[in-house]
Amino acid sequence: MKTKIQELRKKHKISQEELALAVGVTRQTITSLENEKYTASLVLAYKVAKYFNLTIEDIFDFSEVEEF
Amino acid sequence: MEVFKKSVSKRLTALLSLGVISCLIIVFTALYVGSAKLGKNDFISGFQTGIFIALMGSILFKIKELRSALKNNDSLKTLYIKENDEREKLIRQQIACNSFNIIMIAIALATVISGFYNILVFSTLCITLGFIVLVKASLKVYYYKKY
């Protein structure tokens, strides 16, 4: 899933390690999120959105999610 | 974090107890069980001792990790994140699920092949396979009811 995490991180000048510590995950998880290899859970998505003071939809791109 | 600290202390105590028991088993198997008096094979005795030594090594490593985590809040937080990271949990889950299935298939194949050569090996593998299938079925029922 595409995200704007890397863009937001660079805009706020924070490292992956700092963001990981702030939302309670490892740095590798942040890397995987930015590389679109891993999809965050609802709780993690909420924490990341809260950290940047944005909504989940502002950060995570749901346009490619299949509709049934 | 206090709850996690208490659970880490409990785990450390349990590991120390397990370490002591492993030590006693190593000494016991090396000195007594491996003797010719019981007609025990040297290779088997050495293998059993080796398993417990390896177990002891991993216990010591884990004890070191937990002790250093209890020293300060930053290390404790790092350990908490490492153990509760959702991506790590997903990876562990996938490994457990896939390895269980691979091992089950491998033992089934070994059971079939051993049937051509040795009845004792065949029976042992059959019983092992039955046990694995029983465990998987029980866990499936349990988790379907739980969730």
Side-chain angles (χ1 to χ4, degrees):
Chain A
M1 177 178 277
K2 287 182 186 158
T3 71
K4 291 181 185 167
I5 295 174
Q6 193 173 44
E7 195 184 300
L8 288 163
R9 230 185 6 91
K10 286 178 178 171
K11 184 181 166 188
H12 291 82
K13 293 186 176 59
I14 52 168
S15 65
Q16 286 181 336
E17 188 71 45
E18 283 167 340
L19 178 59
L21 200 63
V23 298
V25 294
T26 58
R27 188 191 58 79
Q28 288 83 358
T29 301
I30 300 295
T31 307
S32 292
L33 283 171
E34 291 179 2
N35 293 335
E36 298 166 28
K37 281 187 177 177
Y38 177 70
T39 304
S41 68
L42 177 61
V43 172
L44 179 58
Y46 170 75
K47 285 181 182 176
V48 171
K50 194 175 174 190
Y51 181 82
F52 288 115
N53 216 15
L54 295 167
T55 63
I56 291 175
E57 291 85 352
D58 290 334
I59 300 174
F60 296 88
D61 180 10
F62 292 95
S63 61
E64 288 174 2
V65 171
E66 272 182 50
E67 287 188 28
F68 288 99
Chain B
M1 200 53 70
E2 278 307 312
V3 174
F4 182 67
K5 195 174 185 177
K6 279 180 190 168
S7 92
V8 169
S9 302
K10 278 184 193 170
R11 276 159 54 190
L12 188 59
T13 311
L15 276 173
L16 283 165
S17 315
L18 192 60
V20 167
I21 292 168
S22 297
C23 254
L24 291 171
I25 290 172
I26 289 166
V27 169
F28 182 70
T29 53
L31 292 178
Y32 183 70
V33 177
S35 75
K37 287 179 198 174
L38 293 177
K40 204 82 184 266
N41 188 324
D42 272 346
F43 173 75
I44 293 169
S45 165
F47 186 81
Q48 288 168 341
T49 308
I51 283 177
F52 282 103
I53 288 173
L55 179 67
M56 193 67 210
S58 58
I59 287 169
L60 286 171
F61 179 79
K62 199 69 191 168
I63 287 172
K64 184 183 169 247
E65 193 185 10
L66 293 180
R67 280 183 72 134
S68 58
L70 286 174
K71 279 180 185 166
N72 62 61
N73 268 340
D74 284 341
S75 332
L76 194 65
K77 196 175 179 185
T78 307
L79 182 68
Y80 179 82
I81 287 172
K82 187 183 162 194
E83 290 188 355
N84 291 287
D85 179 61
E86 57 180 60
R87 183 178 151 270
E88 299 263 341
K89 275 186 186 174
L90 176 70
I91 289 169
R92 281 197 295 264
Q93 213 171 43
Q94 294 288 352
I95 289 170
C97 181
N98 290 324
S99 61
F100 196 95
N101 290 330
I102 290 167
I103 287 166
M104 202 164 68
I105 291 166
I107 290 181
L109 280 171
T111 307
V112 167
I113 293 167
S114 68
F116 294 109
Y117 298 102
N118 187 318
I119 188 80
L120 184 62
V121 172
F122 173 76
S123 319
T124 309
L125 286 173
C126 243
I127 291 165
T128 308
L129 187 62
F131 178 71
I132 289 171
V133 169
L134 185 67
V135 164
K136 182 156 187 175
S138 309
L139 287 173
K140 201 165 189 174
V141 167
Y142 173 72
Y143 283 113
Y144 264 101
K145 282 197 173 166
K146 190 176 179 183
Y147 300 114

